[in-house]
Amino acid sequence: MATSSVSKGCFVFKPNFKRRKISVPIEDYFNKGKSVSEDSKLRFETYQLIWQQMKSETEQLQEELNKNLFDNLTEFLQKSHSGFQKNSRDWSCQIKLREIPVAALVLGVNVTDHDLTFRSLTETLQNTVTPYVVSLQAKDCPDMKHVLQKLASQLVDCGVDIKSNEEERTQVSQKREYCSMDFLSSWYRNVTQKKIDPKLPSKKRAWSGQWQSPPVVLILKDMESFTTKVLQDFIIVSSQHRHEFPLILIFGIATSPIIIHRLLPHAVSSLLCIELFQSLSCKEHLTTVLDKLLLTTQFPFKISEKVLQILTNIFLYHDFSIKNFIKGLQLSLLEHFYSQPLSVLCCSLPEAKRRINFLSDDQCENIRRLPSFRRYVENQASEKQIALLTNERFLKEEAQSLLENLHVYHTNYFLVLRCLHKFTCSLPKYPLGRQIRELYCTCLEKDIWDSEEYASTLQLLRMLAKDELVIILEKCFTVFKSSSGKQFGSTAQRIEDFLAQFQSLDEAREEEDASGSQPKGLQKTDLYHLQKSLLEMKELRRTSKKQNKFEVLRDKVVDFVDSLVREFLLPPETQPLHEVVYFSAAHTLREHLNAAPRIALHTALNNPYYYLKNEALKSEEGCIPNIAPDICIAYKLHLECSKLINLVDWSEAFATVVTAAEMNASSTASEEMDEIIHARFIRAVSELELLGFIKPTKQKTDHVARLTWGGGC
Amino acid sequence: MSKLELKQSKMLQVQFVGDDDVLNHILDREGGAKLKKERTQLLVNTKTIIKKPDYDLEEDDREVLKDQNYVEVLGRDVPESLKNGSAADSGSKVYSFQSRKHSEKMSKLASELAKPPRKMVPCHSKMDPEVTLNTPQSSKGHSTSDSVQLKDSDKSKFLSATPSAQRKRLMAPSSHSNSESEYSTSDSEDEEGTAQEDEDTSEVISRQKTQTHNRVVATAADKETPSKKMKKGKTSDLVEEYFEAHSSSKVLTSDRTLQKLKQGKLDQQTLRNLLSKVSPSFSAELKQLNQQYEQLFHKWMLQLHLGFNIVLYGLGSKRDLLERFRTTMLQDSVHVVINGFFPGISVKSVLNSITEDVLDHVGTFRSVLDQLDWTVNRFKQDSSLKLFLLIHNLDSQMLRGDKSQQIIGQLSSLCNIYLIASIDHLNAPLMWDHAKQSLYNWLWYETTTYSPYTEETSYENSLLVKQTGSLPLSSLIHVLRSLTPNARGIFRLLIKYQLDNQDNPSYIGHSFQDFYQRCREAFLVNSDLTLRAQLTEFRDHKLIRTKKGTDGVEYLLISVDSGTLTDFLEKQEEEA
């Protein structure tokens, strides 16, 4: 069936019913359409497993991070509703009753993450405060009528789970046309009275005991995009009905709280009783996500420095969106399992060992082809080399031990990384970055101890004051203590020793102080003398070069840290079989996530050789040969014009270029060829129009307007 | 880069100043603040690089280096696999076309590019496509050789385009008026004139050359100032260029129109016929490109199933590619193909075909939003439903609106609707803000095919394509056939009157009273009311428009162009 027609633009294709039954399992697409298996099914299953784990982990994380915020919100809601509950005759209470409690929730610019937050917020509120939680989005509410309709229909849906009767629902759907605040309040009265009715089964939820009349919470997800008028009207109307319809609003704000006052005039905003809540910053969120997903041995999958760099760059420079970051992670996971046949081993260690035993010969060959493995083989004794390259069983055993080494390497790596971060995160200037992700990036990239930043870090560390150093050491101690690895038992022990030594140093110092060997205090002098004496003291110290006990100990600590770093923070490229778990194809990630369509267009038009690898198209940069595709030539010519382009001139210039090219091919200049060239010009022009480079204009006859400017070559 | 190094060395110096704790500490604090500042600067730099439009003209070397840095960081220059573009050094190349410009060469380049046909003709006459850029001096020589070839090929019009381009570049009033006068003569066809003119133009070129030389000197002088200042000057240059292009209300283009041309506008059919005679060039390479893309089909299916949606971009029609994807991969699943380039497409029709044809829903919806809600619920409830949406040109005129995009985005965010779409417009990505992008959950794929946009542009009221009016004509005939003879007569009267007045520019329509009079005389109507009833029918069929004139009189106008009307009358007479 054709998909082009002059009368319609949508074509529906439905396969025969019988054929529809046979659906292709997704794994099959994983296979790149090849018949060679390379464990693709297993790989796909592993991918799905890891991805599910990662996803649930992030969701859980988000919940934990939001817990504090939600607790505060719940408390606020309960407090503000208790006034309604009391029904007191007090004058001030009466006034307060007119005010709608509003929780302004500042969520930050990462709009894409808000959905998840709101979803869990709704859940929390429904569990703790009230069953009546409704959320509205600006796009559903072009006017007041829609707001009320949506509100009513969602509220009634909320009520359904409390076994409210069906006829009410139908009644609402009939009434949907003319929903009003009166309808809502009468609905509310009905519902709350019914609940007192003892016949109904008691509710399990927490709110049921608290109130007879739970509040109605309305969440406006994107407060900024609501039209001012709708918001104003709604607030005024609902404040009038507040005594019978206890509404509480939650504004989701992406920018800053000032927006409330910009959207609402004073007369309206005075009807609100606003309290501000701030959600966790997305940068902290990112740090936790990284911490839980990447800086851990829980997930076998790892990403290389460049991939991490791209993901964080997209996050920091483009959207601040955790959701997108996780999408990037998902894509890299998928790409890894899709493109690397050996990724079948990217799973938990015992499972991977088991899988090695079942590897096919092809897969063994794949292992041998890994660059890291080849490097490893080259460093072995010659008999072992031969055995590795010829004996499958030996290879498998070796691979098992290598994988185990890799696992141990990662365990150690992350512990030492955290420890090093404890040292570097508080240094002035942050030579190795403030966040652990920056440190991680540097460590992944190269031998960190070769970098100048590292040298300066060590220097700074050698100047730390004692109490700072002790605090850091204590932190490191807990890091190592938390690990179950036997290897770091001794390390923890050494740190403990250091701590003890510092402790004893304190005591020794006290004694020393008591003995009175303290240098004489500086007398009160002018600046010049102070400087002079300070210089003298420095000179003295330098010449004496005698370090006190503390300094000796401090140097020891720093050397110890240095030795740890040098031993354990080797870049992953040095590890054999690292390709199994590390995803490094950063360019594919960038291509698919952060594409640059304009650049692609520009390149295609300016430099066709880039795509069409034809030698005839090769040319000096900035000019294109006259045999290039028509659209390229037309584009090139149009770049020479300013705002308006005369079609006649353009077509003649085009014809000149193209005829020159044709001349060489065949020297039959004829009427027909002219016409064909003209037709080609027309096609090129209309294509440029479609691409948005030019548009028709009425300013002058037979002219088109350029929509871009500049851009010569 | 050098700045970065500098920074580091400075940092180190600070540390070596002394080991006195106190002093060092103070110094460190200062240093820290400095570093912070530099760091933010760095951030800003990268940002500007990201945001930089493709058409940035000038960048100094330092910028270039930074640019490459950024590219390196993002891994664009990693040797690419065969999957995309098959280019070994794709990234750096993509960027290098931006950064190539050295400021001294700019003006030179501009003067050379002002005569691209000139450059290209010798290019070919030498049979060497790799010919290098001409220096201004040598370009003179070329221009003469050009003119020789020009006479040979009897292409006298060729030059007329060239000076106009130069003129636009030059903008200098004196030279402008000069070339203007030349220009008006350039239409003459005799060879003598051409030769004469050729000399003139070369003169213009030489003048321009001296000018550009001056400019080069000027920029060279600028160069001596510190780099920052230079950069500032550059951006202001860029700004100037913008205003140069946009501020002057006077349009400096020639006044020639297509009517003077032999081949004026062609109609769609002849255009197609002519183009079918053109043998496509580089077919081998294009085939190779397409094969590369076809290898991605399986991957696309996989990614679609895993919750991503796919968008294709790049030069060339992606319709055939998607069509192949459809025929190879989607034969066994329900799918909807949407031609975004179809002028009558709307979100409503997309939703209609989903609800009516896919979900077999009978009945109507109050609004598009209701329909969307219903569809979304349906898909959410029944997870066994699966639907592939193929949208050609998601960025077309009809679908690019905010609401349409929102609705399609919401559809695509469902986990059992799989969307694969193509975009072509230069600014298409601007349609989507962050919220929409996260709805779409795009994976971008570059598929530059260079295939002509035949189907996509065929609907378009293209600039040079003559509207044949075959569609309005046939609809006219159909409507008229269903009418009474009297009504036909009335309409014919109106047509004739309009055709008689077609050369009258102030004609705004036939006034109702006069028309009534004429119809009465022709025994077509007997009362004012019957005529009005007829006219209402015409109006309902959108055959005529009525307009109130300034004097309050009603005017009737047929909103079909006169060519079609003449055709129509001829046909009618044939039938009669």
Side-chain angles (χ1 to χ4, degrees):
Chain A
M1 215 147 81
T3 54
S4 67
S5 148
V6 286
S7 58
K8 65 175 192 170
C10 293
F11 305 87
V12 178
F13 296 89
K14 280 171 133 178
N16 304 329
F17 194 71
K18 269 181 238 155
R19 286 177 72 195
R20 209 191 307 177
K21 287 279 155 193
I22 330 154
S23 64
V24 186
I26 312 173
E27 299 95 276
D28 283 14
Y29 298 120
F30 205 78
N31 211 357
K32 304 181 191 177
K34 282 185 286 187
S35 51
V36 191
S37 82
E38 286 182 331
D39 300 317
S40 63
K41 191 154 180 271
L42 199 57
R43 256 155 61 202
F44 183 68
E45 277 161 10
T46 324
Y47 158 77
Q48 293 227 304
L49 187 74
I50 294 185
W51 169 235
Q52 283 310 325
Q53 283 172 352
M54 278 184 159
K55 208 171 138 192
S56 58
E57 180 81 27
T58 48
E59 273 160 17
Q60 204 185 333
L61 210 71
Q62 181 131 28
E63 231 159 74
E64 278 167 27
L65 290 175
N66 282 329
K67 196 174 173 297
N68 198 11
L69 173 73
F70 289 173
D71 283 351
N72 289 342
L73 253 178
T74 320
E75 196 183 321
F76 164 76
L77 293 181
Q78 282 167 347
K79 202 174 69 202
S80 54
H81 188 60
S82 58
F84 179 81
Q85 213 51 39
K86 269 183 234 147
N87 249 340
S88 89
R89 297 256 158 254
D90 191 7
W91 183 76
S92 64
C93 269
Q94 290 282 328
I95 287 292
K96 259 212 143 162
L97 253 177
R98 291 308 273 300
E99 289 182 349
I100 307 173
V102 173
L105 199 55
V106 182
L107 290 163
V109 289
N110 47 338
V111 190
T112 44
D113 295 340
H114 295 178
D115 254 0
L116 209 59
T117 317
F118 280 122
R119 212 178 306 147
S120 51
L121 176 64
T122 314
E123 222 165 80
T124 324
L125 292 184
Q126 278 180 339
N127 287 334
T128 54
V129 183
T130 165
Y132 309 117
V133 183
V134 175
S135 44
L136 290 182
Q137 269 177 303
K139 64 174 163 42
D140 301 330
C141 310
D143 50 35
M144 191 63 186
K145 195 180 106 190
H146 278 89
V147 175
L148 290 176
Q149 267 181 17
K150 283 264 166 195
L151 186 60
S153 65
Q154 284 197 44
L155 271 180
V156 175
D157 284 348
C158 287
V160 168
D161 65 44
I162 330 168
K163 200 95 182 97
S164 96
N165 32 12
E166 274 304 305
E167 73 260 30
E168 190 177 18
R169 218 183 155 192
T170 48
Q171 179 201 347
V172 170
S173 48
Q174 282 160 7
K175 275 195 177 175
R176 257 172 99 173
E177 239 80 344
Y178 38 90
C179 272
S180 69
M181 217 54 200
D182 284 333
F183 166 77
L184 283 177
S185 26
S186 70
W187 167 84
Y188 184 76
R189 215 177 309 122
N190 270 340
V191 169
T192 44
Q193 263 155 22
K194 221 174 272 162
K195 225 184 284 160
I196 307 169
D197 203 347
K199 276 186 290 177
L200 279 170
S202 66
K203 299 103 212 161
K204 295 144 271 171
R205 298 196 174 178
W207 45 263
S208 60
Q210 269 175 325
W211 294 311
Q212 291 166 350
S213 48
V216 174
V217 176
L218 174 63
I219 303 174
L220 303 181
K221 282 182 176 176
D222 41 355
M223 201 253 183
E224 282 100 335
S225 8
F226 275 87
T227 36
T228 324
K229 188 150 186 326
V230 172
L231 263 186
Q232 286 178 18
D233 289 353
F234 181 73
I235 288 168
I236 293 171
V237 171
S238 46
S239 86
Q240 293 294 324
H241 288 81
R242 171 119 176 88
H243 55 282
E244 42 187 15
F245 188 68
L247 186 76
I248 300 181
L249 292 173
I250 296 179
F251 289 164
I253 294 174
T255 49
S256 89
I258 300 171
I259 197 76
I260 300 177
H261 298 289
R262 206 169 289 165
L263 278 177
L264 305 173
H266 182 72
V268 178
S269 61
S270 63
L271 295 173
L272 305 175
C273 168
I274 305 174
E275 194 158 326
L276 205 63
F277 295 89
Q278 185 90 36
S279 80
L280 192 75
S281 95
C282 48
K283 269 187 342 203
E284 280 168 57
H285 197 157
L286 177 74
T287 313
T288 0
V289 167
L290 275 178
D291 203 54
K292 288 280 189 263
L293 292 187
L294 293 176
L295 301 177
T296 165
T297 46
Q298 191 192 345
F299 299 104
F301 174 70
K302 301 277 175 294
I303 53 180
S304 75
E305 180 258 338
K306 276 198 173 143
V307 177
L308 183 63
Q309 195 83 286
I310 284 185
L311 288 179
T312 45
N313 275 351
I314 291 177
F315 178 84
L316 292 174
Y317 298 141
H318 289 259
D319 50 12
F320 288 119
S321 161
I322 297 292
K323 200 178 158 195
N324 273 354
F325 183 83
I326 298 201
K327 174 189 166 190
L329 217 55
Q330 186 193 1
L331 183 65
S332 24
L333 188 70
L334 176 64
E335 280 286 331
H336 179 64
F337 277 95
Y338 184 77
S339 54
Q340 173 61 264
L342 284 172
S343 58
V344 69
L345 301 178
C346 181
C347 54
S348 66
L349 186 62
E351 178 66 19
K353 280 181 170 176
R354 199 181 63 80
R355 284 183 188 179
I356 284 185
N357 290 326
F358 297 108
L359 282 188
S360 65
D361 290 358
D362 285 347
Q363 287 282 49
C364 290
E365 207 45 49
N366 279 336
I367 293 185
R368 287 187 188 121
R369 260 185 237 134
L370 288 183
S372 68
F373 188 74
R374 269 198 289 197
R375 269 201 302 276
Y376 172 75
V377 171
E378 277 158 22
N379 291 331
Q380 303 300 317
S382 57
E383 308 93 72
K384 202 176 173 192
Q385 277 187 10
I386 293 164
L388 278 177
L389 293 180
T390 53
N391 189 341
E392 307 280 305
R393 235 190 55 221
F394 188 70
L395 174 80
K396 281 178 183 173
E397 274 165 22
E398 191 67 21
Q400 277 179 342
S401 73
L402 283 178
L403 274 186
E404 194 164 345
N405 285 350
L406 195 65
H407 185 77
V408 172
Y409 160 78
H410 278 134
T411 326
N412 299 342
Y413 191 95
F414 294 124
L415 280 175
V416 175
L417 188 74
R418 272 172 223 276
C419 169
L420 181 63
H421 179 238
K422 292 280 183 291
F423 276 99
T424 56
C425 66
S426 57
L427 291 179
K429 292 201 287 188
Y430 309 102
L432 283 171
R434 195 194 306 232
Q435 306 282 350
I436 196 164
R437 59 162 191 271
E438 297 164 71
L439 186 66
Y440 185 44
C441 257
T442 342
C443 291
L444 282 178
E445 193 189 355
K446 57 191 177 198
D447 293 333
I448 189 172
W449 52 89
D450 284 341
S451 65
E452 288 179 41
E453 288 92 348
Y454 183 74
S456 64
T457 306
L458 282 192
Q459 260 169 353
L460 285 172
L461 282 180
R462 284 180 212 281
M463 292 164 199
L464 275 184
K466 202 189 76 184
D467 33 358
E468 284 177 297
L469 198 61
V470 169
I471 291 170
I472 293 173
L473 273 178
E474 272 164 358
K475 279 187 200 160
C476 289
F477 181 64
T478 48
V479 168
F480 285 119
K481 215 42 187 291
S482 66
S483 80
S484 51
K486 357 164 183 126
Q487 200 161 354
F488 281 101
S490 62
T491 317
Q493 187 60 46
R494 278 200 66 183
I495 293 178
E496 209 171 9
D497 285 351
F498 281 131
L499 282 172
Q501 280 173 19
F502 276 117
Q503 193 68 34
S504 62
L505 205 67
D506 260 351
E507 283 153 21
R509 172 70 62 81
E510 267 163 34
E511 281 165 26
E512 217 171 278
D513 284 355
S515 68
S517 66
Q518 191 185 5
K520 56 176 174 115
L522 295 167
Q523 283 115 16
K524 209 172 181 184
T525 49
D526 54 44
L527 190 63
Y528 173 71
H529 279 104
L530 177 70
Q531 264 180 345
K532 212 169 130 189
S533 53
L534 277 174
L535 276 176
E536 270 168 19
M537 277 166 66
K538 200 170 89 179
E539 201 67 13
L540 199 78
R541 215 174 286 174
R542 187 171 286 171
T543 46
S544 67
K545 270 208 174 157
K546 205 189 115 207
Q547 289 177 308
N548 63 24
K549 274 183 190 166
F550 165 67
E551 281 163 344
V552 174
L553 194 56
R554 187 172 58 188
D555 280 357
K556 262 192 200 164
V557 171
V558 174
D559 288 341
F560 170 66
V561 172
D562 188 34
S563 71
L564 276 184
V565 168
R566 279 167 198 267
E567 189 179 349
F568 296 110
L569 283 189
L570 294 160
E573 280 84 53
T574 57
Q575 303 299 314
L577 293 190
H578 72 89
E579 288 95 337
V580 170
V581 293
Y582 277 88
F583 173 70
S584 58
H587 60 281
T588 43
L589 205 63
R590 191 178 136 74
E591 247 163 46
H592 298 327
L593 290 180
N594 195 10
R598 288 184 68 140
I599 293 185
L601 260 188
H602 197 92
T603 319
L605 288 169
N606 258 320
N607 185 11
Y609 176 72
Y610 178 75
Y611 292 97
L612 308 169
K613 298 283 173 208
N614 191 317
E615 285 306 309
L617 282 173
K618 217 168 186 177
S619 65
E620 180 76 6
E621 288 170 338
C623 73
I624 52 171
N626 49 11
I627 50 160
D630 294 345
I631 189 169
C632 300
I633 293 171
Y635 173 77
K636 207 76 192 169
L637 291 170
H638 110 288
L639 287 183
E640 292 310 310
C641 301
S642 59
K643 211 165 54 174
L644 289 185
I645 307 170
N646 186 324
L647 277 173
V648 183
D649 290 350
W650 194 7
S651 106
E652 278 173 9
F654 180 82
T656 317
V657 178
V658 176
T659 345
E662 295 284 315
M663 274 312 202
N664 265 74
S666 62
S667 51
T668 52
S670 65
E671 190 89 334
E672 198 194 1
M673 206 177 84
D674 281 356
E675 272 191 2
I676 289 177
I677 287 173
H678 188 62
R680 281 165 64 183
F681 172 70
I682 291 175
R683 178 171 66 183
V685 168
S686 41
E687 284 176 359
L688 282 180
E689 191 188 348
L690 180 84
L691 292 176
F693 285 102
I694 52 167
K695 68 166 189 193
T697 175
K698 292 232 163 79
Q699 251 173 295
K700 215 171 166 188
T701 38
D702 290 332
H703 275 65
V704 288
R706 248 188 98 174
L707 296 177
T708 54
W709 53 280
C713 67
Chain B
M1 274 291 251
S2 61
K3 200 179 163 192
L4 241 133
E5 275 167 22
L6 207 97
K7 184 187 76 190
Q8 278 164 4
S9 65
K10 206 191 280 169
M11 202 170 73
L12 274 177
Q13 267 178 356
V14 169
Q15 280 151 1
F16 282 127
V17 157
D19 46 2
D20 188 312
D21 282 8
V22 187
L23 281 177
N24 215 333
H25 210 64
I26 297 164
L27 279 174
D28 274 347
R29 282 282 138 78
E30 281 173 358
K34 207 184 279 172
L35 183 92
K36 244 189 200 166
K37 225 186 269 167
E38 273 166 355
R39 210 172 252 193
T40 47
Q41 269 176 1
L42 263 180
L43 285 187
V44 170
N45 270 338
T46 8
K47 260 188 203 159
T48 51
I49 288 166
I50 296 165
K51 281 182 189 162
K52 199 170 293 164
D54 311 344
Y55 295 100
D56 257 11
L57 264 177
E58 288 149 283
E59 292 168 272
D60 49 347
D61 296 339
R62 203 159 52 83
E63 278 272 298
V64 174
L65 274 171
K66 278 226 180 98
D67 211 350
Q68 279 166 358
N69 245 359
Y70 176 71
V71 174
E72 234 166 76
V73 161
L74 291 185
R76 256 272 182 174
D77 60 341
V78 173
E80 233 171 307
S81 56
L82 260 161
K83 266 177 267 162
N84 201 349
S86 75
D89 47 355
S90 62
S92 50
K93 270 228 163 161
V94 169
Y95 282 90
S96 70
F97 74 77
Q98 283 189 3
S99 51
R100 204 182 335 98
K101 287 136 243 161
H102 299 285
S103 48
E104 311 100 285
K105 279 192 188 163
M106 256 316 290
S107 45
K108 247 195 250 176
L109 207 69
S111 69
E112 266 150 26
L113 273 174
K115 41 182 173 34
R118 204 167 273 275
K119 195 171 58 204
M120 287 168 197
V121 175
C123 220
H124 208 87
S125 64
K126 278 189 187 173
M127 275 297 283
D128 183 8
E130 284 181 68
V131 85
T132 51
L133 275 178
N134 310 320
T135 55
Q137 279 76 17
S138 65
S139 80
K140 201 174 194 174
H142 273 297
S143 71
T144 50
S145 75
D146 267 1
S147 65
V148 172
Q149 201 186 15
L150 205 80
K151 275 172 202 160
D152 290 347
S153 63
D154 201 12
K155 262 277 161 193
S156 57
K157 285 175 197 161
F158 154 56
L159 270 171
S160 61
T162 324
S164 78
Q166 281 165 351
R167 194 155 31 80
K168 276 170 233 145
R169 275 274 169 187
L170 272 166
M171 292 301 212
S174 61
S175 69
H176 165 229
S177 61
N178 194 347
S179 56
E180 181 81 53
S181 60
E182 282 166 20
Y183 189 64
S184 47
T185 62
S186 74
D187 260 358
S188 62
E189 299 271 326
D190 62 327
E191 309 235 323
E192 295 276 274
T194 319
Q196 176 69 37
E197 185 190 302
D198 198 13
E199 276 172 29
D200 282 358
T201 31
S202 59
E203 202 182 294
V204 173
I205 291 164
S206 61
R207 198 180 311 135
Q208 188 190 11
K209 237 183 298 162
T210 53
Q211 245 183 17
T212 52
H213 277 306
N214 286 344
R215 223 187 286 166
V216 168
V217 171
T219 44
D222 272 353
K223 271 264 139 101
E224 280 150 29
T225 57
S227 63
K228 257 190 192 169
K229 211 173 177 183
M230 195 176 76
K231 202 181 161 195
K232 207 173 169 189
K234 290 246 171 61
T235 49
S236 73
D237 255 15
L238 209 66
V239 171
E240 264 168 33
E241 195 181 321
Y242 175 82
F243 284 111
E244 197 176 273
H246 288 256
S247 66
S248 65
S249 55
K250 194 159 178 275
V251 181
L252 296 168
T253 51
S254 67
D255 294 330
R256 302 191 304 162
T257 55
L258 285 169
Q259 281 176 344
K260 287 178 192 165
L261 223 62
K262 258 188 300 186
Q263 329 95 342
K265 297 191 173 185
L266 304 171
D267 62 51
Q268 195 75 48
Q269 193 56 44
T270 21
L271 185 69
R272 258 186 211 201
N273 289 341
L274 284 173
L275 285 177
S276 65
K277 288 176 198 160
V278 183
S279 57
S281 46
F282 310 112
S283 47
E285 285 83 2
L286 288 175
K287 206 174 157 201
Q288 203 188 341
L289 270 182
N290 274 318
Q291 274 168 357
Q292 276 170 23
Y293 302 140
E294 275 167 36
Q295 282 165 9
L296 294 171
F297 283 175
H298 273 90
K299 200 172 177 183
W300 290 353
M301 280 304 271
L302 175 73
Q303 284 168 340
L304 287 174
H305 274 103
L306 293 176
F308 297 105
N309 291 312
I310 285 175
V311 61
L312 309 179
Y313 65 94
L315 180 67
S317 168
K318 290 157 280 287
R319 196 169 166 275
D320 292 338
L321 187 72
L322 278 178
E323 197 62 12
R324 274 199 300 282
F325 174 71
R326 185 180 79 79
T327 44
T328 49
M329 307 304 290
L330 298 182
Q331 278 312 309
D332 294 336
S333 33
V334 187
H335 56 277
V336 177
V337 177
I338 294 151
N339 290 340
F341 48 82
F342 179 69
I345 198 88
S346 65
V347 191
K348 178 90 182 138
S349 57
V350 174
L351 282 172
N352 275 343
S353 56
I354 292 175
T355 51
E356 284 164 20
D357 297 336
V358 178
L359 302 175
D360 299 320
H361 173 82
V362 191
T364 51
F365 295 93
R366 245 202 321 277
S367 71
V368 183
L369 281 181
D370 277 346
Q371 198 170 3
L372 177 72
D373 282 347
W374 187 83
T375 319
V376 169
N377 281 333
R378 210 30 223 289
F379 274 97
K380 272 187 181 155
Q381 280 159 14
D382 187 357
S383 58
S384 68
L385 273 177
K386 287 196 188 330
L387 175 67
F388 284 86
L389 280 180
L390 268 93
I391 306 184
H392 303 290
N393 283 77
L394 185 56
D395 56 345
S396 67
Q397 286 286 353
M398 299 305 293
L399 295 181
R400 70 172 64 142
D402 190 56
K403 274 191 184 140
S404 317
Q405 289 297 325
Q406 180 74 38
I407 288 171
I408 298 176
Q410 263 171 303
L411 278 181
S412 72
S413 68
L414 292 172
C415 61
N416 39 7
I417 289 188
Y418 312 114
L419 173 66
I420 179 164
S422 66
I423 55 168
D424 286 302
H425 197 276
L426 181 67
N427 296 324
L430 298 182
M431 293 187 295
W432 303 313
D433 53 14
H434 283 238
K436 283 199 202 74
Q437 272 188 11
S438 88
L439 276 180
Y440 276 117
N441 202 15
W442 287 130
L443 286 186
W444 298 75
Y445 276 89
E446 183 182 338
T447 52
T448 301
T449 59
Y450 282 101
S451 14
Y453 292 98
T454 324
E455 196 69 39
E456 286 91 330
T457 52
S458 66
Y459 293 108
E460 191 181 9
N461 295 333
S462 186
L463 300 161
L464 292 164
V465 178
K466 194 166 65 186
Q467 291 304 305
T468 52
S470 60
L471 210 63
L473 184 63
S474 69
S475 50
L476 255 186
I477 290 169
H478 274 102
V479 172
L480 265 279
R481 257 186 212 147
S482 65
L483 295 179
T484 57
N486 268 7
R488 262 181 261 167
I490 294 171
F491 197 66
R492 201 173 306 132
L493 263 187
L494 193 57
I495 291 178
K496 275 186 183 149
Y497 188 78
Q498 184 156 337
L499 284 179
D500 289 344
N501 283 293
Q502 65 174 320
D503 293 329
N504 180 6
S506 60
Y507 175 73
I508 49 165
H510 201 334
S511 79
F512 180 77
Q513 278 310 320
D514 294 351
F515 191 51
Y516 174 57
Q517 213 55 47
R518 286 168 51 121
C519 289
R520 249 184 102 91
E521 281 160 17
F523 300 111
L524 290 169
V525 292
N526 54 6
S527 78
D528 182 311
L529 276 179
T530 35
L531 178 61
R532 279 201 188 277
Q534 283 303 339
L535 291 180
T536 318
E537 186 151 6
F538 293 154
R539 205 178 302 141
D540 289 346
H541 282 109
K542 300 226 164 54
L543 289 177
I544 60 165
R545 273 186 303 147
T546 48
K547 225 180 353 184
K548 274 248 162 67
T550 41
D551 46 356
V553 180
E554 214 174 335
Y555 287 99
L556 310 169
L557 193 69
I558 303 175
S559 47
V560 181
D561 64 308
S562 47
T564 319
L565 289 181
T566 333
D567 286 352
F568 173 72
L569 277 187
E570 277 167 16
K571 280 239 168 102
Q572 288 275 301
E573 269 150 34
E574 270 172 37
E575 275 177 33

